[in-house]
Amino acid sequence: MDDQTTRLNRIEEKLDKVSEAIVSLARMEERMITLFKRMDSYDDHHRALEGRVTKVEVSHASGAWVERVVWFIVCGIIMGTLYLGK
């Protein structure tokens, strides 16, 4: 009877360790799911920011062209005024 009790106790201990490992794996899976959700949120935020930066770059590129034209006109007026003033 003592031998069977020892075997049953070892089996119970092993089952306890297996159940602890399963619980640990479940917790780890929950953490991974949380991290994946957070990473998806960061990706969405990054895409939104990238779109905004692209819009700013496009508007700046067209604004720089207009600014150059305005400076050419202003410089032309100043040069014309100085030339005609002599």
Side-chain angles (χ1 to χ4, degrees), residues 25-38:
L25 285 172
R27 287 182 185 152
M28 186 180 300
E29 184 180 12
E30 289 175 3
R31 288 183 194 138
M32 288 176 64
I33 289 171
T34 302
L35 286 173
F36 288 144
K37 286 180 182 178
R38 194 174 294 164

Side-chain angles (χ1 to χ4, degrees), residues 5-20:
T5 306
T6 305
R7 286 183 182 171
L8 285 175
N9 283 339
R10 279 191 275 158
I11 291 172
E12 281 182 9
E13 288 175 8
K14 290 180 181 180
L15 284 175
D16 287 341
K17 289 180 182 179
V18 168
S19 68
E20 288 175 8

Side-chain angles (χ1 to χ4, degrees), residues 25-82:
L25 285 172
R27 287 182 185 152
M28 186 180 300
E29 184 180 12
E30 289 175 3
R31 288 183 194 138
M32 288 176 64
I33 289 171
T34 302
L35 286 173
F36 288 144
K37 286 180 182 178
R38 194 174 294 164
M39 285 173 51
D40 288 341
S41 173
Y42 288 147
D43 285 342
D44 293 341
H45 185 69
H46 177 73
R47 284 189 195 102
L49 285 175
E50 190 173 356
R52 290 174 58 192
V53 167
T54 302
K55 287 180 185 178
V56 168
E57 286 175 343
V58 168
S59 67
H60 177 69
S62 64
W65 182 78
V66 172
E67 183 182 356
R68 286 187 183 138
V69 170
V70 168
W71 278 112
F72 281 131
I73 292 171
V74 168
C75 289
I77 292 171
I78 292 172
M79 292 303 291
T81 306
L82 290 176

